[in-house]
Amino acid sequence: MALYLITGAAGFIGSHLVHTLIQRGDDVRALDNFSTGRRENLANLEKQLDLREVDLRDSIGVLNACVGVDFILHQGALPSVPRSVSEPRPSHETNIDGTFNLLEGARAAGVKRIVYAASSSAYGNQPGFPRVESMKPQPIAPYPVQKLAGELYMQSYWQVYGLETVCLRYFNIFGPRQVADSPYSGVMARFILQMMRGEQPVINGDGEQGRDFTYVENAVQANLRACAASAEKVAGRVFNVACGERHTLNETYEILARLLGYPHPPQYGPDRAGDVRDSLADISAAHKAMNYVPHIGFEEGLRRTVEWYQAEFSASFHKQDGAT
Ligand code: UD1
């Protein structure tokens, strides 16, 4: 049986990968420093996991974690475009140095393949939609620069050392367990929590910016397919992981408000520094190379996400209620 190492295992996407692999019966080693990841995301799995509290900047801890591993799913990062704008150094160190440590660990330990969580933000604001992997990246903020540097390192380790690497450019992944209560939270989780609390979400700019919002289960599928595909088809390559549809923030707000019965119209604020205006992916390369198909569409994803936050919110509300 294969041993999978998941970095950022207690985070949003990492924890979905852990749950799926454990359910499938695979062996999982889970790495997290719990800076943004949460222990409750791995609740009840402790006995089935080799869980290690390791920071990606700790090269020795990372190297030890790579020993005996077949596949690495590298989700660990200090995320968020705006966080990297206000504080570029911590995200630089985790996202670039941490990725380098992992590649060095994987090389030394003879790991078979690394699948890397890259970012669609690497495309920047250049003209031309949908985004195709052959376009020249034009990252704007530090975070997309860091994520792109990771991609280049992945490709280098394939070409120079023959370590099989696959880069998945995620397009605005959303779903259960995404952190909702941080100023750096993704827009979907943030708006859902704000609406449930009766607070007023703020749309940055005119709300006509669009994103290729992608439900997390599609990203999980892409990772598993990237591990299973033959090296000839995927090694050293970059793939968009998205739905291939663009939805504006105004439209997203409207659907969420309807699902949650939230009566108020949006409030509009200034544009956010470092934001890209639009994002829409061509997903044919991932389809062709590894038969990736986004099974869960935008509205179905929103419905499942809202349901999950409602259940969580009411559980924590009842807990607080009982405690007082
Ligand atoms: C997101 C990811 C990033 C990923 C990128 C890929 C998060 C936190 N960030 O960045 O890791 O690399 O997609 O494209 O998931 N907005 C509001 N009001 C708010 C919050 C956000 O209007 O309260 C707007 C933003 O200004 C932006 C849009 O919503 O226009 C999406 O923002 P966000 O969810 O932070 O994602 P990205 O910056 O697109």
Side-chain angles (χ1 to χ4, degrees):
M1 208 173 354
L3 173 60
Y4 289 79
L5 170 65
I6 301 176
T7 70
F12 162 47
I13 302 172
S15 67
H16 280 275
L17 288 165
V18 172
H19 282 263
T20 304
L21 287 168
I22 292 284
Q23 265 164 23
R24 219 172 68 163
D26 285 291
D27 289 331
V28 176
R29 185 172 293 159
L31 217 72
D32 213 295
N33 68 350
F34 298 101
S35 69
T36 58
R38 298 186 171 181
R39 286 183 196 276
E40 56 265 35
N41 288 345
L42 303 177
N44 306 322
L45 291 178
E46 292 86 354
K47 287 201 181 109
Q48 299 161 74
L49 278 179
D50 173 5
L51 176 60
R52 301 188 184 189
E53 186 166 347
V54 174
D55 193 301
L56 285 167
R57 292 165 295 185
D58 165 11
S59 59
I60 305 294
V62 168
L63 169 62
N64 289 336
C66 289
V67 174
V69 166
D70 299 289
F71 297 100
I72 299 177
L73 306 178
H74 181 29
Q75 314 302 305
L78 199 52
S80 166
V81 175
R83 188 204 313 260
S84 77
V85 171
S86 54
E87 269 191 290
R89 185 177 293 278
S91 60
H92 175 98
E93 288 171 357
T94 297
N95 300 344
I96 297 186
D97 297 345
T99 296
F100 174 73
N101 286 339
L102 189 68
L103 280 163
E104 275 295 272
R107 181 165 79 95
V111 168
K112 183 172 165 48
R113 185 173 293 179
I114 303 188
V115 181
Y116 169 67
S119 172
S120 64
S121 54
Y123 289 109
N125 261 333
Q126 62 187 294
F129 290 97
R131 301 309 200 196
V132 186
E133 293 86 344
S134 55
M135 285 174 166
K136 186 169 175 278
Q138 291 184 23
I140 303 168
Y143 177 78
V145 170
Q146 295 153 12
K147 279 280 157 181
L148 181 63
E151 277 188 26
L152 296 174
Y153 256 131
M154 291 289 152
Q155 290 171 323
S156 163
Y157 271 60
W158 161 242
Q159 287 172 36
V160 177
Y161 304 112
L163 172 61
E164 293 176 14
T165 60
V166 187
C167 299
L168 302 181
R169 280 190 188 156
Y170 292 161
F171 281 69
N172 289 74
I173 313 296
F174 71 97
R177 293 203 286 273
Q178 189 168 25
V179 173
D181 56 0
S182 145
Y184 300 127
S185 292
V187 68
M188 208 72 95
R190 196 168 153 82
F191 279 8
I192 292 171
L193 185 66
Q194 287 172 328
M195 286 181 185
M196 284 193 313
R197 285 178 172 163
E199 295 165 6
Q200 174 73 74
V202 175
I203 291 184
N204 304 325
D206 63 5
E208 285 306 299
Q209 66 266 50
R211 293 288 185 273
D212 197 334
F213 288 110
T214 307
Y215 188 65
V216 64
E217 211 171 292
N218 301 319
V220 168
Q221 181 210 139
N223 275 273
L224 301 183
R225 289 186 183 278
C227 292
S230 68
E232 300 78 67
K233 290 197 167 157
V234 298
R237 293 188 62 190
V238 175
F239 297 101
N240 291 336
V241 171
C243 279
E245 287 174 17
R246 172 185 170 277
H247 297 275
T248 66
L249 278 193
N250 286 328
E251 184 190 350
T252 305
Y253 185 100
E254 210 178 290
I255 298 173
L256 289 178
R258 174 164 46 78
L259 288 171
L260 285 157
Y262 181 78
H264 307 294
Q267 194 181 318
Y268 291 93
D271 287 333
R272 194 175 72 180
D275 248 8
V276 301
R277 178 70 184 171
D278 272 314
S279 127
L280 171 66
D282 179 324
I283 52 174
S284 56
H287 179 67
K288 207 166 159 211
M290 49 190 178
N291 205 20
Y292 164 76
V293 179
H295 291 301
I296 311 295
F298 177 66
E299 288 224 24
E300 173 61 15
L302 283 185
R303 204 184 52 71
R304 291 187 187 196
T305 307
V306 163
E307 258 174 30
W308 184 85
Y309 281 102
Q310 280 177 319
E312 279 292 294
F313 193 67
S314 84
S316 71
F317 183 76
H318 284 117
K319 233 186 274 167
Q320 282 167 20
D321 214 28
T324 51

